[in-house]
Amino acid sequence: MNAHDERDTTMTGVDASRLDDQQLIKELETIHRTRHDTLLHGSSGALRAHNDRMAQLEGEYLRRNPERPVAAGRTREGARERGSGESATPRS
């Protein structure tokens, strides 16, 4: 099989572990921006490839940032508080 024969393979971009932090963030921004359109209008194969790539990129981000800050409003408890009239954004 030559380098341009892509039958039965999916192009997924550069392996997420090989991207530097800035490239990883850029790839995540791009894939999140295109998600809605892919879901609504992409073929089954395109959606499957999008799912796979998103999982790779997000998994790599989480691997690199296990202690990332989590906003209180983005937790289950925070969501319950919002449901009882609390704002998701901190008050000054």
Side-chain angles (χ1 to χ4, degrees):
M1 176 160 99
N2 69 42
H4 298 290
D5 189 353
E6 294 299 328
R7 287 175 284 173
D8 300 325
T9 64
T10 301
M11 296 299 293
T12 58
V14 175
D15 186 286
S17 65
R18 296 183 62 202
L19 299 170
D20 65 31
D21 289 345
Q22 186 176 358
Q23 291 169 322
L24 179 60
I25 292 296
K26 184 174 180 176
E27 289 285 321
L28 282 164
E29 289 170 348
T30 298
I31 203 158
H32 286 127
R33 189 175 56 249
T34 61
R35 179 64 183 175
H36 189 74
D37 191 51
T38 304
L39 175 64
L40 295 180
H41 306 293
S43 66
S44 294
L47 186 57
R48 196 167 27 258
H50 205 273
N51 289 342
D52 291 346
R53 182 63 172 169
M54 185 178 291
Q56 292 167 5
L57 295 169
E58 289 178 346
E60 181 62 20
Y61 178 84
L62 293 172
R63 185 189 68 75
R64 292 182 193 186
N65 300 281
E67 301 298 322
R68 73 194 193 290
V70 176
R74 300 300 297 180
T75 64
R76 287 183 184 204
E77 184 176 328
R80 285 187 204 104
E81 289 176 9
R82 278 196 317 272
S84 65
E86 289 280 326
S87 173
T89 53
R91 294 182 186 150
S92 307

